Amino acid sequence: MKVGIIGANGYGGVELIRLLQQHPFVQLKYLASHSSSGKLISEQYPHLQGIIEDRIEELDINEAASKIELMFIATPSGISKDLIPALLEKGITCIDLSGDFRLKDGSIYEKWYKYAKASDEYLQNATYGLPEIFREEIIGSALIANPGCYPTATLLGLAPALTNGWISGKNIVIDGKSGVSGAGRKASLGTHYGEINENTKAYKLGSHQHIPEIEQIISHLSGTDHPITFSTHLVPMTRGILCTIYADLKIETTTEELLTQYEEYYQNNFFVRIRPLDIWPATKEVLGSNYCDIGIKVEERTNKLIIVSVIDNVVKGAAGQAVQNMNLLNGWAEETGLTFSPVYP
């Protein structure tokens, strides 16, 4: 399959290049970026010298349609909603890594993202691309809304407990910590070395744009609508997300019982690994991979379920999940091109 990337100059784009270059069923034929058009991708990322040295182009829909069948859109939010309709009209399947098509209610998108919403027609036809939960819906879809990084870690941690009614949808608290790459490549004061090195800080408390995305899927899984408490923190590392989630149990159970249930829930999901009793996942254990590692604990004293979920935000939280969705769309084995081990140490 011939594929392209819009936003090839960003972290999500260059991670897609890394993954697609070694995918057995794909040829990367088109790289586009408005801010870097005319430059070689190897000028932007010298580590690609001798691997891929294609020139980045200014997006031309007609030219793209003549070269590719599927497009990954790895732009910041607020851009893809204006590009994807024209791509779809040309018969190009779209996997969008931005937030423009994740929320079904466009007014909620405008409130949290501060951009004009996409057309309601496209919002309703977009499929939320979390394969472990929406696998059947993804197959055959023309527009995939790739999930956010925090929602991926959070929802995979919560899904078995919500689906089976073990926890209440009320009073869920999510403590999220992310590496600096989640902010993208563009320099800013908040990600300046002198600001983040040897420092950990909270940001966007109560206002993070991933809150309504998480709430939308929690509602889908539990059948109830409840607000969450979601606190995000920036930590001094490049890649990785760790979410510690606290939820009220509705049943009497033990950690051992729920671990067995979690293992059964994810037994046919290649990229979700459940940690044994009292073994907690760490971000370095998924670095550079498409895995999500999960550990759980029943806190009998407070009758809460504690869930620890970790991913690499650039892979399972973005580019890797996009490739996983592409595999599903084409009827290929879901793990095709993604079976490499995490990088350690």
Side-chain angles (χ1 to χ4, degrees):
M1 172 170 273
K2 296 177 175 63
V3 304
I5 303 168
I6 301 174
N9 61 328
Y11 287 152
V14 76
E15 189 71 351
L16 279 166
I17 290 171
R18 180 176 78 93
L19 301 179
L20 296 170
Q21 275 295 107
Q22 49 80 52
H23 194 287
F25 305 139
V26 163
Q27 289 181 309
L28 185 55
K29 290 292 187 178
Y30 191 78
L31 302 178
S33 168
H34 175 69
S35 62
S36 301
S37 62
K39 299 179 180 178
L40 298 177
I41 188 65
S42 56
E43 291 180 66
Q44 298 288 291
Y45 291 100
H47 72 284
L48 294 176
Q49 182 179 350
I51 300 172
I52 177 170
E53 303 199 21
D54 294 4
R55 195 168 299 280
I56 303 170
E57 303 180 42
E58 186 76 32
L59 176 63
D60 182 307
I61 301 292
N62 291 323
E63 183 184 358
S66 71
K67 292 182 176 181
I68 65 166
E69 303 158 76
L70 182 146
M71 185 76 85
F72 295 95
I73 301 92
T75 62
S77 294
I79 297 173
S80 68
K81 63 180 173 56
D82 298 322
L83 305 178
I84 283 176
L87 292 167
L88 292 173
E89 288 175 9
K90 292 291 185 180
I92 299 173
T93 301
C94 295
I95 300 178
D96 181 29
L97 281 72
S98 81
D100 285 7
F101 294 90
R102 295 173 189 158
L103 299 174
K104 294 301 182 184
D105 187 334
S107 64
I108 294 177
Y109 172 87
E110 291 181 336
K111 175 183 176 181
W112 289 84
Y113 281 82
K114 313 302 182 186
Y115 298 114
K117 66 181 179 65
S119 164
D120 288 337
E121 174 190 355
Y122 291 100
L123 291 179
Q124 298 311 311
N125 289 332
T127 300
Y128 190 72
L130 189 55
E132 289 77 11
I133 299 176
F134 297 102
R135 185 170 284 108
E136 296 305 315
E137 292 87 345
I138 290 166
I139 297 171
S141 179
L143 171 55
I144 301 295
N146 220 55
C149 47
Y150 277 123
T152 295
T154 298
L155 295 168
L156 290 177
L158 283 169
L162 287 169
T163 302
N164 290 288
W166 303 328
I167 60 173
S168 170
K170 298 170 66 174
N171 304 319
I172 292 176
V173 177
I174 303 154
D175 181 314
K177 296 177 175 64
S178 176
V180 187
S181 60
R185 198 182 195 198
K186 187 176 180 179
S188 69
L189 179 62
T191 57
H192 189 283
Y193 180 83
E195 298 287 330
I196 191 60
N197 182 50
E198 299 181 354
N199 191 19
T200 298
K201 55 185 178 181
Y203 69 101
K204 291 187 179 180
L205 296 182
S207 63
H208 198 286
Q209 68 271 17
H210 286 165
I211 289 175
E213 181 181 342
I214 295 170
E215 290 178 344
Q216 176 177 269
I217 307 304
I218 286 177
S219 176
H220 172 85
L221 294 173
S222 67
T224 59
D225 294 321
H226 296 291
I228 59 170
T229 299
F230 182 52
S231 300
T232 48
H233 306 80
L234 194 61
V235 297
M237 64 182 182
T238 302
R239 290 179 181 234
I241 279 180
L242 184 148
C243 288
T244 305
I245 307 160
Y246 306 88
D248 294 328
L249 281 162
K250 294 166 61 178
I251 60 172
E252 290 188 9
T253 186
T254 65
T255 303
E256 291 87 346
E257 289 173 346
L258 286 195
L259 275 173
T260 298
Q261 295 296 320
Y262 263 70
E263 289 166 354
E264 290 181 1
Y265 185 92
Y266 283 122
Q267 62 182 341
N268 296 319
N269 291 273
F270 185 89
F271 292 113
V272 179
R273 306 187 296 188
I274 307 301
R275 285 286 183 266
L277 182 67
D278 292 333
I279 304 296
W280 306 108
T283 55
K284 187 171 279 291
E285 293 162 2
V286 296
L287 181 66
S289 81
N290 201 52
Y291 290 105
C292 174
D293 290 359
I294 298 170
I296 64 170
K297 173 75 173 181
V298 172
E299 245 257 302
E300 297 178 10
R301 189 175 61 87
T302 58
N303 199 40
K304 288 187 182 293
L305 176 62
I306 304 173
I307 306 163
V308 179
S309 178
V310 301
I311 62 170
D312 183 316
N313 56 294
V314 188
V315 190
K316 182 59 173 167
Q321 188 143 257
V323 172
Q324 189 179 351
N325 279 315
M326 177 188 68
N327 290 338
L328 274 173
L329 288 173
N330 288 287
W332 304 328
E334 205 166 314
E335 63 272 20
T336 304
L338 295 168
T339 56
F340 40 81
S341 300
V343 178
Y344 201 96

